[in-house]
Amino acid sequence: MKRLSIFVILIVIFIGSIFPNVFVHANLVDNNFLSIKLTSPIKSTEFVNLYSEEGFFIFYKDDLSQEVESIDIDSIKISLGEKDEIIISDNEDNLLFTYNQEDDLIISSKDEFDRRIKIEDRYYRDYVYFKIVGGKLITLNYVQIENYLYGVVPMEMPTSFEMEALKAQAIAARTYTLKNINKHIGEGYDLCDTTHCQVYGGMDGEQEKTNRAVEETYGMIITYNGDIIDALYHSNSGGVTEDSMEAWGNSHPYLIAVDDNFSSEAPNSSWSLNLTSDEINRRLNNSGINIGDVVDMEIIETSSNGRVTQLKIVGTLSEKLLSKGQIREILGTTELKSTWFTIQKDSSVETITNLYVIDSSNTNPQLININTAYVIDGSFRKNPSRGLTSRYVNRDTNFDNSKGTSYTNTDFIIEGKGYGHGVGMSQWGAQKMAELGYSFEDILMHYYSGVEIIIND
């Protein structure tokens, strides 16, 4: 037996050396199904409406050979019961079936050749099941991996892209799925349908072209030294991809920075954004950060490729240092397209002619004349404002009773490159490579260093 094993290994090595493009087959995942938390079609956390023209079957999740219950109407409502009870009723709230969530039951269409269910206003393949978490009803699509990818690829890459780019995206998405399959395991499911994992649109998001890209790369995944890689991807690198160590502090030899001229003339390879002090202050406040009025932004540290890893924002009360993971999250992931940017400031001074005061017993601000105002000193003596304190200055505000009141409102002009985190495959770079005649293997080998493409079956 030992000799036979060695002989088989030698044959595999021999074949691989003669035919380097032959894909190695491996079985790296036992379960062919994923549980995806749905958010996009869900209207309520207390009930969900389902529709199936053929009616519904109910199965145990670990035994799909025999249904537990058959429901012969085309519309049902799933709602919360007492404790961990889940209730199935018709549209007039007549009780049809109840079960405890620990029973681990799933629901499908009765059409065994086309198991699709409409969840609220969107169709999904395979099965749906429900959990109660924190008193809320969670809706999950229990779906085969390849069927899941049908709904992911067109949401993550434009269907107008070249087929080789779409194939590269399908393989990257499949690989990312298997690598991150336990991302939400602590919450009772595998992945969600948002950008936190991968955007998943179900059957309504599917397109014939992207379905074909999934089918023609069936089971293909990317590995490094035999392990599934974290196949990260983004929209546009701006000309150079980012090293995972620089981006997040996690070193992966297959996610190193590579020159990427393929992305340099694509959409969002360069961009600009104007933000005022007030806009920045509002975004900070929305994240629970109060540093007073924003007066300055300063890049403190960048990665070796020029992406900002530390950004200091100075206010009239304090200052805030944003790390690489916070910068776009706080300032806006769609407006601030990447962290590869520079900052210029354009300040303008505006004059305020009116001044309002408010005392401890009055909630209505009182308009005063600054030229006749008095200031009380430490011994409670009244002094004309122009005498004791003719001028008060802080970091961004200048009070001068002879010239009125003025403050500086700053425009921050941000010039940037690329769109997204910059790690792994650039989707627009993949498109350019495909246009130039590169294959999906070429694309993946360019963006992920030292990897292999194998077939997981």
Side-chain angles (χ1 to χ4, degrees), residues 230-248 252-264 268-269 302-309 338-340 417-431 433 442-450:
D230 200 1
L232 300 173
Y233 52 88
H234 57 280
S235 178
N236 187 313
S237 72
V240 179
T241 67
E242 184 63 295
D243 192 302
S244 64
M245 186 66 182
E246 299 271 19
W248 297 299
H252 297 294
Y254 52 84
L255 291 177
I256 61 175
V258 297
D259 289 332
D260 185 24
N261 293 329
F262 302 109
S263 296
S264 58
N268 295 313
S269 57
T302 65
S303 71
S304 58
N305 293 316
R307 288 177 171 83
V308 179
T309 55
S338 76
T339 56
W340 191 357
K417 296 181 180 181
Y419 198 166
H421 50 65
V423 180
M425 184 179 72
S426 166
Q427 293 170 314
W428 277 101
Q431 167 66 356
M433 290 184 72
D442 297 328
I443 294 169
L444 297 174
M445 297 294 185
H446 172 67
Y447 288 108
Y448 305 110
S449 300

Coordinates of all heavy atoms in Angstrom, one line a residue, residues 230-248 252-264 268-269 302-309 338-340 417-431 433 442-450:
D230 N -7.2 33.4 0.3 CA -8.2 34.4 0.5 C -8.2 35.3 -0.8 O -7.4 36.2 -0.9 CB -7.8 35.2 1.7 CG -9.1 35.9 2.3 OD1 -10.2 35.8 1.7 OD2 -8.9 36.7 3.3
A231 N -9.0 35.0 -1.7 CA -9.0 35.6 -3.1 C -9.7 36.9 -3.1 O -10.8 37.1 -3.6 CB -9.6 34.6 -4.1
L232 N -9.1 37.9 -2.4 CA -9.6 39.2 -2.4 C -9.6 39.9 -3.7 O -8.7 39.7 -4.6 CB -8.8 40.1 -1.4 CG -8.8 39.5 0.1 CD1 -7.9 40.3 1.0 CD2 -10.2 39.5 0.6
Y233 N -10.5 40.8 -4.0 CA -10.6 41.5 -5.2 C -11.2 42.9 -5.0 O -11.8 43.1 -3.9 CB -11.3 40.8 -6.3 CG -12.7 40.3 -5.9 CD1 -13.8 41.1 -6.1 CD2 -12.9 39.0 -5.4 CE1 -15.1 40.6 -5.7 CE2 -14.2 38.6 -5.0 CZ -15.3 39.4 -5.2 OH -16.5 38.9 -4.8
H234 N -11.0 43.8 -5.9 CA -11.4 45.2 -5.8 C -11.7 45.7 -7.2 O -11.4 45.1 -8.2 CB -10.4 46.0 -5.0 CG -9.1 46.0 -5.7 ND1 -8.2 45.0 -5.6 CD2 -8.5 46.9 -6.6 CE1 -7.1 45.3 -6.3 NE2 -7.3 46.4 -6.9
S235 N -12.2 47.0 -7.3 CA -12.6 47.5 -8.5 C -11.4 47.9 -9.4 O -11.3 47.5 -10.5 CB -13.5 48.7 -8.3 OG -13.9 49.3 -9.6
N236 N -10.5 48.8 -8.8 CA -9.4 49.3 -9.6 C -8.2 49.6 -8.7 O -8.4 50.3 -7.7 CB -9.8 50.6 -10.4 CG -8.8 51.1 -11.3 OD1 -7.6 51.2 -11.0 ND2 -9.2 51.4 -12.5
S237 N -7.1 49.1 -9.0 CA -5.9 49.3 -8.2 C -5.3 50.7 -8.3 O -4.5 51.1 -7.4 CB -4.8 48.2 -8.5 OG -4.2 48.5 -9.7
G238 N -5.6 51.4 -9.4 CA -4.9 52.6 -9.6 C -3.6 52.6 -10.2 O -2.9 53.6 -10.5
G239 N -3.0 51.4 -10.5 CA -1.7 51.2 -11.1 C -0.8 50.3 -10.4 O 0.1 49.8 -11.0
V240 N -1.0 50.1 -9.1 CA -0.2 49.1 -8.3 C -1.2 48.5 -7.2 O -1.9 49.3 -6.6 CB 0.9 49.8 -7.6 CG1 1.7 48.8 -6.7 CG2 1.9 50.5 -8.5
T241 N -1.2 47.2 -7.1 CA -2.0 46.6 -6.1 C -1.3 46.8 -4.7 O -0.1 47.1 -4.7 CB -2.2 45.1 -6.3 OG1 -1.0 44.4 -6.3 CG2 -2.9 44.9 -7.7
E242 N -2.0 46.5 -3.6 CA -1.5 46.7 -2.3 C -1.1 45.4 -1.7 O -1.8 44.4 -1.9 CB -2.5 47.4 -1.4 CG -2.0 47.8 0.0 CD -0.8 48.8 0.0 OE1 0.3 48.4 -0.5 OE2 -1.0 49.9 0.5
D243 N -0.1 45.4 -0.9 CA 0.3 44.2 -0.1 C -0.6 44.0 1.1 O -1.0 45.0 1.7 CB 1.8 44.4 0.4 CG 2.4 43.1 1.0 OD1 1.8 42.6 1.9 OD2 3.4 42.7 0.5
S244 N -1.1 42.8 1.3 CA -2.0 42.6 2.4 C -1.4 43.0 3.7 O -2.2 43.4 4.7 CB -2.5 41.1 2.4 OG -1.4 40.2 2.7
M245 N -0.1 42.9 3.9 CA 0.5 43.3 5.1 C 0.4 44.8 5.4 O 0.1 45.2 6.5 CB 2.0 42.9 5.1 CG 2.7 43.1 6.4 SD 2.1 42.0 7.7 CE 3.1 42.6 9.1
E246 N 0.5 45.5 4.3 CA 0.4 47.0 4.4 C -1.1 47.4 4.6 O -1.4 48.3 5.4 CB 0.8 47.6 3.1 CG 2.3 47.4 2.8 CD 3.2 48.5 3.4 OE1 2.8 49.1 4.3 OE2 4.4 48.6 2.9
A247 N -2.0 46.6 4.0 CA -3.4 47.0 4.1 C -4.0 46.7 5.5 O -4.7 47.5 6.1 CB -4.2 46.3 3.0
W248 N -3.7 45.4 6.0 CA -4.4 45.0 7.2 C -3.5 44.3 8.2 O -3.9 43.9 9.3 CB -5.5 43.9 6.8 CG -6.6 44.5 6.0 CD1 -7.4 45.6 6.3 CD2 -6.9 44.1 4.7 NE1 -8.2 45.8 5.3 CE2 -8.0 45.0 4.2 CE3 -6.5 43.2 3.8 CZ2 -8.6 44.9 3.0 CZ3 -7.1 43.1 2.5 CH2 -8.1 43.9 2.2
H252 N 0.3 37.6 3.5 CA 0.0 36.4 2.7 C 0.9 36.5 1.5 O 0.9 37.5 0.7 CB -1.4 36.4 2.2 CG -2.4 36.3 3.4 ND1 -2.5 35.2 4.1 CD2 -3.3 37.2 3.9 CE1 -3.5 35.3 5.1 NE2 -4.0 36.5 4.9
P253 N 1.8 35.5 1.2 CA 2.7 35.6 0.1 C 2.1 35.7 -1.2 O 2.7 36.1 -2.2 CB 3.5 34.3 0.3 CG 2.7 33.4 1.1 CD 1.9 34.2 2.0
Y254 N 0.8 35.3 -1.4 CA 0.1 35.4 -2.6 C -0.6 36.7 -2.8 O -1.1 37.0 -3.9 CB -0.9 34.2 -2.8 CG -1.9 34.1 -1.6 CD1 -3.0 34.9 -1.5 CD2 -1.6 33.2 -0.6 CE1 -3.9 34.7 -0.5 CE2 -2.5 33.0 0.5 CZ -3.6 33.8 0.5 OH -4.5 33.7 1.6
L255 N -0.6 37.5 -1.8 CA -1.3 38.9 -1.8 C -0.2 40.0 -1.6 O -0.3 40.8 -0.7 CB -2.4 39.0 -0.8 CG -3.6 38.2 -1.0 CD1 -4.6 38.3 0.2 CD2 -4.3 38.5 -2.3
I256 N 0.8 40.0 -2.5 CA 1.8 41.0 -2.4 C 1.5 42.0 -3.5 O 0.8 41.8 -4.5 CB 3.2 40.4 -2.6 CG1 3.3 39.7 -4.0 CG2 3.5 39.4 -1.5 CD1 4.7 39.2 -4.3
A257 N 2.1 43.2 -3.4 CA 1.9 44.3 -4.4 C 2.5 43.9 -5.7 O 3.6 43.4 -5.8 CB 2.5 45.6 -3.8
V258 N 1.8 44.2 -6.8 CA 2.3 43.9 -8.1 C 2.0 45.2 -9.0 O 0.9 45.9 -8.8 CB 1.6 42.7 -8.8 CG1 2.0 41.4 -8.0 CG2 0.1 42.8 -8.9
D259 N 2.9 45.5 -9.9 CA 2.6 46.6 -10.9 C 1.4 46.2 -11.7 O 1.2 45.1 -12.1 CB 3.8 46.8 -11.8 CG 5.0 47.4 -11.0 OD1 4.7 48.2 -10.0 OD2 6.1 47.2 -11.4
D260 N 0.5 47.2 -11.9 CA -0.8 46.9 -12.6 C -1.1 48.0 -13.6 O -2.0 48.8 -13.4 CB -1.9 46.8 -11.5 CG -3.2 46.3 -12.1 OD1 -3.2 45.7 -13.2 OD2 -4.2 46.6 -11.5
N261 N -0.3 48.1 -14.7 CA -0.6 49.1 -15.7 C -1.9 48.8 -16.4 O -2.5 49.7 -17.0 CB 0.5 49.1 -16.7 CG 1.9 49.6 -16.2 OD1 1.8 50.4 -15.3 ND2 3.0 49.1 -16.6
F262 N -2.4 47.6 -16.3 CA -3.7 47.3 -16.9 C -4.9 48.1 -16.3 O -5.9 48.3 -17.0 CB -4.0 45.8 -16.7 CG -3.0 44.9 -17.3 CD1 -2.2 44.1 -16.5 CD2 -2.8 44.8 -18.7 CE1 -1.2 43.3 -17.0 CE2 -1.9 43.9 -19.2 CZ -1.0 43.2 -18.4
S263 N -4.7 48.6 -15.1 CA -5.7 49.4 -14.4 C -5.6 50.9 -14.6 O -6.4 51.6 -14.2 CB -5.8 49.0 -12.9 OG -6.1 47.7 -12.7
S264 N -4.4 51.3 -15.1 CA -4.0 52.7 -15.1 C -4.9 53.6 -15.9 O -5.0 54.8 -15.6 CB -2.6 52.9 -15.5 OG -2.4 52.4 -16.8
N268 N -12.0 55.3 -12.7 CA -11.6 55.5 -11.3 C -10.1 55.2 -11.0 O -9.7 55.1 -9.9 CB -12.4 54.7 -10.3 CG -13.9 55.2 -10.3 OD1 -14.2 56.4 -10.2 ND2 -14.8 54.2 -10.4
S269 N -9.3 55.2 -12.1 CA -7.9 55.0 -11.9 C -7.3 56.3 -11.3 O -6.3 56.3 -10.6 CB -7.2 54.7 -13.3 OG -7.4 55.8 -14.2
T302 N 2.0 56.6 5.3 CA 1.6 55.9 4.1 C 2.3 54.6 4.0 O 3.3 54.4 4.6 CB 1.8 56.7 2.8 OG1 3.2 56.9 2.6 CG2 1.2 58.1 2.9
S303 N 1.7 53.7 3.2 CA 2.3 52.4 2.9 C 3.4 52.7 1.9 O 3.6 53.8 1.4 CB 1.3 51.4 2.3 OG 0.9 51.8 1.0
S304 N 4.2 51.6 1.6 CA 5.3 51.8 0.7 C 4.8 52.1 -0.7 O 5.6 52.7 -1.5 CB 6.1 50.5 0.6 OG 5.3 49.4 0.3
N305 N 3.5 51.8 -1.0 CA 3.0 52.2 -2.3 C 2.2 53.5 -2.3 O 1.5 53.8 -3.3 CB 2.0 51.0 -2.8 CG 2.8 49.8 -3.1 OD1 3.9 49.8 -3.7 ND2 2.3 48.6 -2.6
G306 N 2.2 54.2 -1.2 CA 1.6 55.5 -1.2 C 0.2 55.6 -0.6 O -0.4 56.7 -0.5
R307 N -0.4 54.4 -0.2 CA -1.7 54.5 0.4 C -1.7 55.0 1.9 O -0.8 54.6 2.6 CB -2.4 53.1 0.3 CG -2.8 52.8 -1.1 CD -3.4 51.4 -1.2 NE -4.0 51.1 -2.6 CZ -3.3 50.7 -3.6 NH1 -2.0 50.5 -3.5 NH2 -3.9 50.6 -4.8
V308 N -2.6 55.8 2.2 CA -2.6 56.4 3.6 C -3.0 55.3 4.6 O -4.0 54.7 4.5 CB -3.6 57.6 3.6 CG1 -3.6 58.2 5.0 CG2 -3.3 58.6 2.6
T309 N -2.1 55.2 5.6 CA -2.4 54.3 6.7 C -2.7 55.0 8.0 O -3.3 54.4 8.9 CB -1.1 53.4 6.9 OG1 0.0 54.2 7.2 CG2 -0.9 52.5 5.7
S338 N -10.6 55.3 -2.4 CA -9.5 54.5 -1.9 C -8.7 55.3 -0.9 O -9.0 56.4 -0.7 CB -8.5 54.1 -3.1 OG -7.7 55.2 -3.5
T339 N -7.7 54.7 -0.3 CA -6.8 55.4 0.6 C -5.5 55.8 -0.1 O -4.6 56.3 0.6 CB -6.4 54.5 1.8 OG1 -5.8 53.3 1.4 CG2 -7.7 54.2 2.6
W340 N -5.4 55.7 -1.4 CA -4.3 56.2 -2.1 C -4.6 57.7 -2.6 O -5.2 57.9 -3.6 CB -4.0 55.3 -3.3 CG -2.7 55.6 -4.0 CD1 -1.8 56.5 -3.7 CD2 -2.2 54.9 -5.1 NE1 -0.7 56.5 -4.6 CE2 -0.9 55.4 -5.4 CE3 -2.6 53.8 -5.9 CZ2 -0.1 55.0 -6.5 CZ3 -1.8 53.3 -6.9 CH2 -0.6 53.9 -7.2
K417 N -6.3 57.8 -6.4 CA -6.1 56.8 -7.4 C -6.8 55.5 -7.0 O -6.7 55.1 -5.8 CB -4.6 56.5 -7.7 CG -3.8 57.7 -8.2 CD -2.4 57.2 -8.5 CE -1.5 58.4 -9.0 NZ -0.1 57.9 -9.2
G418 N -7.4 54.8 -7.9 CA -8.0 53.5 -7.7 C -9.3 53.6 -6.9 O -9.8 54.6 -6.4
Y419 N -10.0 52.4 -6.9 CA -11.2 52.3 -6.2 C -11.2 50.9 -5.4 O -11.1 49.9 -6.0 CB -12.4 52.3 -7.2 CG -13.8 52.6 -6.6 CD1 -14.8 52.9 -7.4 CD2 -14.0 52.5 -5.2 CE1 -16.1 53.2 -6.9 CE2 -15.3 52.8 -4.7 CZ -16.3 53.1 -5.6 OH -17.6 53.4 -5.1
G420 N -11.3 51.0 -4.1 CA -11.3 49.8 -3.3 C -10.1 49.7 -2.5 O -9.2 50.6 -2.4
H421 N -9.9 48.6 -1.8 CA -8.8 48.4 -0.9 C -7.5 48.1 -1.6 O -6.4 48.2 -1.0 CB -9.0 47.3 0.1 CG -9.5 46.0 -0.5 ND1 -8.8 45.2 -1.4 CD2 -10.7 45.3 -0.4 CE1 -9.5 44.2 -1.7 NE2 -10.7 44.2 -1.2
G422 N -7.5 47.7 -2.9 CA -6.3 47.6 -3.7 C -5.6 46.2 -3.5 O -4.6 46.0 -4.2
V423 N -6.2 45.3 -2.7 CA -5.5 44.0 -2.5 C -6.1 43.0 -3.4 O -7.3 42.9 -3.6 CB -5.7 43.6 -1.0 CG1 -5.0 42.2 -0.8 CG2 -5.2 44.6 -0.1
G424 N -5.2 42.2 -4.0 CA -5.7 41.1 -4.9 C -6.0 41.5 -6.3 O -5.3 42.4 -6.9
M425 N -7.0 40.9 -6.9 CA -7.4 41.2 -8.3 C -8.1 42.5 -8.5 O -9.1 42.8 -7.8 CB -8.2 40.0 -8.8 CG -8.5 40.1 -10.3 SD -9.6 38.8 -10.9 CE -11.2 39.2 -10.2
S426 N -7.6 43.3 -9.4 CA -8.3 44.5 -9.9 C -9.3 44.0 -11.0 O -8.9 43.5 -12.0 CB -7.3 45.5 -10.5 OG -7.9 46.5 -11.2
Q427 N -10.5 44.3 -10.8 CA -11.5 43.9 -11.7 C -11.4 44.6 -13.1 O -11.5 44.0 -14.1 CB -12.9 44.1 -11.1 CG -13.2 43.2 -10.0 CD -14.5 43.5 -9.2 OE1 -14.7 44.7 -8.9 NE2 -15.3 42.5 -8.9
W428 N -11.1 45.9 -13.0 CA -10.9 46.6 -14.3 C -9.6 46.2 -14.9 O -9.5 46.2 -16.2 CB -11.0 48.1 -14.0 CG -12.4 48.6 -14.0 CD1 -13.1 48.9 -12.9 CD2 -13.2 48.9 -15.1 NE1 -14.4 49.3 -13.3 CE2 -14.5 49.3 -14.6 CE3 -13.1 48.8 -16.5 CZ2 -15.6 49.7 -15.5 CZ3 -14.1 49.1 -17.4 CH2 -15.4 49.5 -16.8
G429 N -8.6 45.9 -14.1 CA -7.4 45.4 -14.7 C -7.6 44.0 -15.4 O -7.1 43.7 -16.5
A430 N -8.4 43.2 -14.8 CA -8.8 41.9 -15.4 C -9.5 42.1 -16.7 O -9.3 41.4 -17.7 CB -9.7 41.1 -14.4
Q431 N -10.4 43.1 -16.8 CA -11.1 43.4 -18.0 C -10.1 43.8 -19.1 O -10.2 43.4 -20.2 CB -12.1 44.5 -17.8 CG -12.7 45.2 -19.0 CD -13.6 44.2 -19.8 OE1 -13.7 43.0 -19.6 NE2 -14.2 44.8 -20.9
M433 N -6.9 43.1 -19.3 CA -6.1 41.9 -19.7 C -6.9 41.0 -20.6 O -6.4 40.5 -21.6 CB -5.7 41.1 -18.4 CG -4.7 41.8 -17.6 SD -4.1 40.8 -16.2 CE -3.1 39.6 -17.1
D442 N -4.1 33.5 -16.9 CA -3.1 34.6 -16.9 C -3.5 35.7 -15.9 O -2.7 36.2 -15.2 CB -3.0 35.2 -18.3 CG -2.5 34.2 -19.4 OD1 -1.7 33.4 -19.0 OD2 -2.9 34.3 -20.5
I443 N -4.8 36.0 -15.9 CA -5.3 37.1 -15.0 C -5.1 36.7 -13.6 O -4.5 37.5 -12.8 CB -6.8 37.4 -15.3 CG1 -7.0 37.9 -16.7 CG2 -7.4 38.3 -14.3 CD1 -8.4 38.0 -17.2
L444 N -5.5 35.5 -13.2 CA -5.4 35.1 -11.8 C -3.9 35.0 -11.4 O -3.5 35.4 -10.3 CB -6.1 33.8 -11.6 CG -7.6 33.9 -11.8 CD1 -8.3 32.5 -11.7 CD2 -8.3 34.8 -10.8
M445 N -3.1 34.5 -12.3 CA -1.6 34.3 -11.9 C -0.9 35.7 -11.8 O 0.0 35.8 -11.1 CB -0.9 33.5 -13.0 CG -1.4 32.1 -13.1 SD -1.1 31.1 -11.7 CE -1.7 29.5 -12.2
H446 N -1.5 36.7 -12.5 CA -0.9 38.0 -12.4 C -1.2 38.7 -11.1 O -0.3 39.2 -10.4 CB -1.4 38.9 -13.5 CG -1.0 40.4 -13.4 ND1 0.3 40.8 -13.5 CD2 -1.7 41.5 -13.1 CE1 0.3 42.1 -13.4 NE2 -0.9 42.5 -13.1
Y447 N -2.4 38.5 -10.6 CA -2.8 39.2 -9.4 C -2.6 38.4 -8.1 O -2.5 39.0 -7.0 CB -4.3 39.6 -9.5 CG -4.5 40.8 -10.5 CD1 -5.1 40.5 -11.7 CD2 -4.1 42.1 -10.2 CE1 -5.3 41.6 -12.6 CE2 -4.3 43.1 -11.1 CZ -4.9 42.8 -12.3 OH -5.1 43.9 -13.2
Y448 N -2.5 37.1 -8.2 CA -2.3 36.3 -7.0 C -0.9 35.6 -7.3 O -0.8 34.7 -8.2 CB -3.4 35.3 -6.8 CG -4.8 35.9 -6.7 CD1 -5.7 35.8 -7.7 CD2 -5.1 36.7 -5.6 CE1 -7.0 36.3 -7.6 CE2 -6.4 37.3 -5.5 CZ -7.3 37.1 -6.5 OH -8.5 37.7 -6.4
S449 N 0.1 35.9 -6.5 CA 1.4 35.4 -6.8 C 1.7 34.0 -6.3 O 1.3 33.6 -5.2 CB 2.4 36.3 -6.1 OG 2.3 37.7 -6.5
G450 N 2.3 33.2 -7.2 CA 2.7 31.8 -6.9 C 1.6 30.8 -6.6 O 1.8 29.9 -5.9

